[in-house]
Amino acid sequence: MPRIIGIDLGTTNSLVAYVDEKIGLPRVIPDERGRVLLPSVVSFTPEGILVGEDARRQLVRRADATVYSVKRLMGRSYDDVKDELKYLPFTIVPGDGIVRIQAGGREVTPPEVSAVVLRALKDRAERAFDEPIEKAVVTVPAYFNDSQRQATRDAGRIAGLDVVRIVNEPTAASLAYGLDRLEHGIVAVYDLGGGTFDISILRVQEGIFEVLATNGDTHLGGDDFDRVLMLWLLEDVQARHHRELEGCGINLARDNDAMQELRLAAEAAKIRLSTEERTGLTLPFGEFTYRREITRADIERLIEPLVQKTLGPCRMALKDAGLGPDGIDEVVLVGGSTRVPLVRRRVQELFRKPPHSHLNPEEVVALGAAVQAGILAGGIRDMLLLDVTPLSLGIETLGGIVGVLIARNTTIPTSARELFTTSADGQTVVDMHVVQGERELAKDCRSLARFELRGIDPMPAGMPKIEVTFLIDADGLLQVTAKELRTGKAASIVVKPTYGLTEADVERMIEDSFTYAEADVETRLTIEARNEADTVITHVRRALAQAAHLTDAAERARIETALAELLRARGGDDRDLIIEKTTEVNRATERLAEAMMDAALRGAIESRRADEIMESS
Ligand code: ADP
Ligand code: MG
């Protein structure tokens, strides 16, 4: 039985998982360094394509070559994403139906970018099992339309993966918790990630899942938590250190490096505050060092309005599903941001029951994808998964009006059939225009496909009987067939929803990805070594500037020499030399690092004491 892996292709992070047959449980697969999350970031540098953490480090340095949040662009046209452009720093241009992204002097499509992420996960799995992997289950948000699902499938093909099933993320999360074993129940899946919020209400009945309603906010997530905390810290730095800042003429808000540091510090503090009541923050700014303590109460006050913003969509989803909070039997938490205690409290208050949260909320979708993969491979449980169509599907009829064949929220797989006719005498060709959306006029809906039905015998208007069939399979993909019934020799045509990528495009992209692959591994390792060197150089320089009083002349000289050698090595292409020199700098600074750590600890204790004194006075 060929192995099938489960992949969560996320907006911020992606993961791969499999079912361990020995214990019958899903597990995520870490990379060589033990990291489970792969940031969904791809950087097209002159030296090669970088993905994951390596690409994420290029976000500031090579902003024009680095693509993130590409999931927002999958299977979408320029018109679809117009409102999205202001959030994305890279250049997006209208393509043939779909958008294209300009990055590092190339033009790529969203499926090609996602394919780089998928390939990295495929490679990771192949290394783990030491065997080729060709099949995968990939998850998508429940509200993804046909084009977005098809684009996801194409991304798999470009990466050399046959996407055997596309599963909705909330369904996957429920599967990971084994909720398919409920005889009957209603499940609410609350998913708060880095940049998106989704709420889905599912019905489970004898192992069958049905999406009753979905809602959410496509621009709300942990990144917003980071942002409010960062702005608050910025104000605080400016208030406490305005004299130093004025003295050296620094405008922090305009200083990209300083803002980047502040953002990273904010996210790190946020994450610590999910498990700790208070945490210290130390930020060196060259001329001065900013220190402060942040409490759980501080961050909760800041993010409360954002957490409240998730509750409206929850209430709307309940309303769409025709349920009150008491109608929900199980609540499942998904996404890294649901680790925030305030989020858990508010969700529990709204649904009036403790949510399922013992599985890692960042991993739970991938784990569920693996369970589905296990089912398909025949290894575990027997089950059918049902979902619903997120939007109505129909065809354009006379006067540009939409004739709906499959209404929104219909359970899939499903099919529908309807008869149409011609509007002009002697008409031999009918133009079929398949659309998706809730609006009356075709021009206001999303155009999915156009094709012609030819070869109709000339007849008076209204005489031909044209039968149109819509079929949606278990993956949510649509097939449209049109057939003229009156004449014996019926003509029929089948369309796959298109969104701009032709079969030939996909083939070419598959070939391209193979050409890049080999060069990419070598350059990746060199770039990783350089990145590591850069990090060390920055830290050591800062340490030397800040902690001059903690070193003597001899130690300083040793560090400066090692640093100069590393800088020289970093300029060249000799990877081993870069690694060797980085190690030497690390060794030369060991003592200083320890001394600084001690000093920082003392600083934290002192500042805590100062705060306590202030509070008690
Ligand atoms: P996505 O589904 O968008 O790919 P994830 O589910 O991986 O995103 O969530 C990423 C977000 O989770 C980031 O904003 C990250 O800061 C946040 N996050 C991760 N761990 C924690 C934690 N322990 N506490 C608070 N937020 C966290
Ligand atoms: Mg996610």
Side-chain angles (χ1 to χ4, degrees), residues 466-505:
I466 300 161
E467 182 193 71
V468 178
T469 312
F470 277 35
L471 184 93
I472 305 184
D473 66 15
D475 293 335
L477 292 176
L478 169 72
Q479 259 193 0
V480 180
T481 313
K483 210 189 239 175
E484 206 289 301
L485 298 178
R486 191 170 288 268
T487 55
K489 39 175 181 154
S492 85
I493 193 162
V494 179
V495 284
K496 247 169 77 177
T498 58
Y499 59 95
L501 281 192
T502 63
E503 201 60 23
D505 287 337

Side-chain angles (χ1 to χ4, degrees), residues 10-13 193-196 222-223 267 270-271 274 335-337 339-340 362:
T11 311
T12 318
N13 294 305
T196 57
D223 298 345
E267 182 179 10
K270 170 191 81 173
I271 288 175
S274 288
S337 300
R339 296 201 183 188
V340 174
E362 282 155 297

Side-chain angles (χ1 to χ4, degrees), residues 358-381:
H358 73 267
L359 293 174
N360 182 335
E362 282 155 297
E363 297 178 357
V364 62
V365 169
L367 294 174
V371 172
Q372 174 66 58
I375 294 167
L376 291 173
I380 46 172
R381 291 179 279 187

Side-chain angles (χ1 to χ4, degrees), residues 223-336:
D223 298 345
D224 298 297
F225 295 180
D226 302 346
R227 193 173 36 81
V228 290
L229 183 55
M230 183 188 76
L231 292 176
W232 184 71
L233 288 171
L234 176 66
E235 252 178 46
D236 193 54
V237 182
Q238 285 168 331
R240 291 193 191 201
H241 294 281
H242 67 99
R243 232 171 289 127
E244 285 109 317
L245 286 166
E246 258 166 39
C248 48
I250 294 180
N251 182 347
L252 272 189
R254 295 251 174 83
D255 183 335
N256 277 344
D257 283 345
M259 292 302 280
Q260 170 78 356
E261 293 274 318
L262 211 53
R263 179 178 289 276
L264 291 176
E267 182 179 10
K270 170 191 81 173
I271 288 175
R272 288 198 300 275
L273 286 170
S274 288
T275 46
E276 287 158 35
E277 282 297 329
R278 48 180 64 220
T279 184
L281 193 135
T282 306
L283 270 174
F285 282 106
E287 284 67 23
F288 61 93
T289 297
Y290 170 72
R291 283 203 181 86
R292 90 154 280 158
E293 200 180 55
I294 310 172
T295 64
R296 171 94 48 89
D298 288 331
I299 192 166
E300 293 195 340
R301 193 162 20 83
L302 289 167
I303 64 172
E304 176 80 62
L306 295 167
V307 179
Q308 288 294 333
K309 255 179 102 174
T310 66
L311 303 181
C314 292
R315 294 193 189 98
M316 270 158 59
L318 281 172
K319 191 162 162 257
D320 280 352
L323 295 165
D326 292 327
I328 302 292
D329 302 306
E330 312 280 341
V331 181
V332 172
L333 293 182
V334 180

Side-chain angles (χ1 to χ4, degrees), residues 180-192:
D180 53 303
R181 280 173 236 153
L182 288 178
E183 205 168 291
H184 175 89
I186 306 280
V187 184
V189 181
Y190 179 103
D191 180 351
L192 191 60

